[in-house]
Amino acid sequence: MAGAAGTAAYSSRFSEHMLQKAKEKISAPNVHFFQADISEEWGFARQGGYDLVSVSLVLEHLPALEPVFQKAAAALQPGGRLYVGELHPFKQYSGSKARFDAAEGTQVLSCFTHHVSDFTEAARQAGLELLVLREYFDQEDRAGLPRILALLFRKP
């Protein structure tokens, strides 16, 4: 496993690559992509200026959900939505962790288990209401553990 500095370097490189891929797919003038540290202040965020904030496969790497939900709620305009897609806690209960292959070998990232109720409670405390909760399975095999937990919240 890489040290913290090594993991941050990989993360930054992968983030830039993923943002470039997203920009290639979506070129609407009202869509903006930002690379930022989600655990720091969101200097890019306009107070109440966004229709959608999307957070995917990152919250498991943070010890606390509440700060992210508070920042997302502040950035959303009334009626705005927060999409959260994360490794399902059931997968984490079974020992699954985020990992990726690098020249140095497989890198296993630090992870924190957040239960489904942790997500919904952090959203409630931030003044967001749950609209949709979905679980996605590998190969659509509903006999196994769900891989992804997807949540959609709305700011009233």
Side-chain angles (χ1 to χ4, degrees), residues 5-86:
T7 301
Y10 287 120
S11 177
S12 177
R13 185 177 75 221
F14 288 137
S15 294
E16 290 171 14
H17 179 73
M18 295 309 291
L19 280 173
Q20 186 56 42
K21 290 281 190 193
K23 289 176 185 177
E24 290 169 8
K25 292 180 179 183
I26 300 173
S27 59
N30 63 331
V31 175
H32 305 282
F33 295 93
F34 301 98
Q35 181 176 350
D37 183 336
I38 197 168
S39 66
E40 300 293 329
E41 288 306 313
W42 294 6
F44 61 87
R46 294 187 320 262
Q47 189 78 4
Y50 294 97
D51 297 320
L52 174 69
V53 173
S54 177
V55 180
S56 297
L57 301 174
V58 68
L59 296 178
E60 71 186 88
H61 305 293
L62 300 176
L65 299 174
E66 293 80 5
V68 174
F69 278 82
Q70 292 291 334
K71 288 183 245 183
L76 289 170
Q77 63 184 357
R81 299 186 181 205
L82 168 63
Y83 168 80
V84 175
E86 290 294 320

Side-chain angles (χ1 to χ4, degrees), residues 69-122:
F69 278 82
Q70 292 291 334
K71 288 183 245 183
L76 289 170
Q77 63 184 357
R81 299 186 181 205
L82 168 63
Y83 168 80
V84 175
E86 290 294 320
L87 182 65
H88 200 291
F90 291 0
K91 278 293 210 190
Q92 290 181 296
Y93 301 157
S94 71
S96 184
K97 288 187 175 186
R99 65 189 78 236
F100 61 91
D101 293 326
E104 298 81 15
T106 299
Q107 305 296 305
V108 179
L109 303 178
S110 297
C111 297
F112 300 89
T113 300
H114 302 295
H115 310 289
V116 174
S117 60
D118 295 337
F119 290 103
T120 58
E121 181 59 17

